[in-house]
Amino acid sequence: MNTPLTSNHAPVLDTLAEVLKQRRSASSEDSYVASLHHKGLNKILEKVGEEATETLLAAKDAEHGSPEQRQALVSETADLWFHTLVMLSHLELDHQDVLNELARRFGISGHDEKAARTP
């Protein structure tokens, strides 16, 4: 059974997506996001990779770490999600498509879902 994703934080993603869309055409001097858009996809992907690495390192520290180290993982994950949303925005893709894909996978074995993907 497919269950739609619902969250009281969904408006945060919607609001952020709208801001990111607006910043695509903003002045790069006025906005960090605009500066990433102006530098292009490669710079955005570099940031996604950097944040992914920082998230992985924070996860290793958080596994048996202090509350501060666990909070650092939350912060790094937020950075990763943010830069991933910038990437989607740059490519004019909607975060809701990702949420819909996650919702579609509910009730499907991860092994079955992976096997069903085309190689």
Side-chain angles (χ1 to χ4, degrees), residues 52-99:
T53 299
E54 290 174 2
T55 301
L56 295 173
L57 294 172
K60 290 296 286 179
D61 292 341
E63 183 176 24
H64 302 291
S66 67
E68 292 80 14
Q69 289 170 311
R70 297 177 69 77
Q71 180 56 46
L73 174 58
V74 170
S75 295
E76 291 299 343
T77 301
D79 290 345
L80 176 59
W81 288 11
F82 174 82
H83 286 88
T84 301
L85 290 169
V86 172
M87 177 192 67
L88 290 172
S89 174
H90 188 79
L91 296 170
E92 298 183 19
L93 292 169
D94 193 312
H95 69 283
Q96 191 59 51
D97 295 333
V98 176
L99 296 176

